[in-house]
Amino acid sequence: MTNQMVRDIFSLQTNLTTTERAVSVALGLGLAAVAAQPRPNKLLSLAALIAGAALAIRGASGHCSMKSAIQRI
């Protein structure tokens, strides 16, 4: 299943609208910027950084694996 998600992301098939992409990139970069600031809880900062990067990649690629999986059902 993971290999299918990776192939979907890099297949250049977009399933997000322009608005969804812009919001994902903006929220992802904002979350990553907030997570990059020093905090007492390093694991929470790491989780926020990973989530922000995932949102930014989702917006930049234009493909969401979760949306694709839901549409297949």
Side-chain angles (χ1 to χ4, degrees):
M1 181 164 172
T2 303
N3 289 336
Q4 180 63 34
M5 286 183 184
V6 170
R7 272 185 256 131
D8 285 347
I9 290 171
F10 295 107
S11 68
L12 300 179
Q13 294 178 347
T14 59
N15 63 350
L16 297 176
T17 64
T18 304
T19 304
E20 289 173 321
R21 291 179 77 172
V23 169
S24 290
V25 169
L27 288 177
L29 292 177
L31 186 58
V34 168
Q37 296 176 357
R39 304 252 183 241
N41 190 343
K42 301 292 183 193
L43 290 177
L44 186 59
S45 293
L46 179 63
L49 185 61
I50 291 170
L55 275 172
I57 290 170
R58 174 186 186 259
S61 70
H63 182 81
C64 178
S65 297
M66 293 300 291
K67 188 173 182 178
S68 178
I70 290 170
Q71 288 174 346
R72 289 183 190 150
I73 296 176

